[in-house]
Amino acid sequence: MDIGRERSTMNVALWIVQGLLATLFLFAGGAKLVLPLDQMAGPVPLPGWFLRFIGVAEVLGALGLVLPGLLRIRPGLTPLAATGLVIIMIGAGGMLAVALMNLVVALLAAFVAYGRWRLAPYRDSSRPAVLRPAS
């Protein structure tokens, strides 16, 4: 297998993981923003402002996973967004099953961060996309 094909396969894998993580964090962060605070009470009591802050961070992280690559604007933000989501998942706690799920999500976000930083960064990311007229 040549390097171009490996890079293409890695790019597809990264986009799939980015899409799944973005969906997960948009849902989780959106829920933290719209649900009443009394419905979000968990085993560890957290202040309402902190839950809302985490919700905003999750939604922004989800957008940061996909928008820079789609719009080709500041693609270096994608690994930073993924790293921020890893930090959020490290801080998330719970029972063993929840902690294992958090670990899997954190590892997937770490894969995106490293993949977009080193393995398959966006191509021609320094130049904005140019629309050309059809011939």
Side-chain angles (χ1 to χ4, degrees):
M1 192 182 304
D2 63 345
I3 293 174
R5 184 174 168 108
E6 287 179 16
R7 185 178 177 128
S8 175
T9 303
M10 181 61 67
N11 190 40
V12 169
L14 283 166
W15 271 113
I16 290 170
V17 173
Q18 284 172 245
L20 291 172
L21 286 174
T23 303
L24 172 78
F25 282 106
L26 273 176
F27 178 74
K32 287 180 183 77
L33 292 175
V34 299
L35 285 176
L37 292 174
D38 59 343
Q39 289 185 358
M40 291 189 290
V44 177
L46 296 172
W49 64 266
F50 186 69
L51 289 172
R52 299 286 191 217
F53 171 76
I54 294 296
V56 169
E58 288 176 344
V59 168
L60 292 176
L63 295 175
L65 286 176
V66 293
L67 288 183
L70 290 176
L71 301 176
R72 299 212 184 271
I73 298 173
R74 303 267 186 205
L77 293 177
T78 297
L80 294 176
T83 303
L85 293 173
V86 168
I87 293 169
I88 288 174
M89 294 312 295
I90 289 171
M95 300 184 325
L96 181 61
V98 175
L100 289 175
M101 187 183 79
N102 290 342
L103 177 64
V104 169
V105 171
L107 290 174
L108 288 173
F111 167 68
V112 170
Y114 183 73
R116 285 296 176 206
W117 180 49
R118 289 288 185 190
L119 300 178
Y122 296 116
R123 296 183 199 187
D124 296 325
S125 57
S126 61
R127 291 181 267 155
V130 177
L131 295 177
R132 296 188 180 123
S135 353

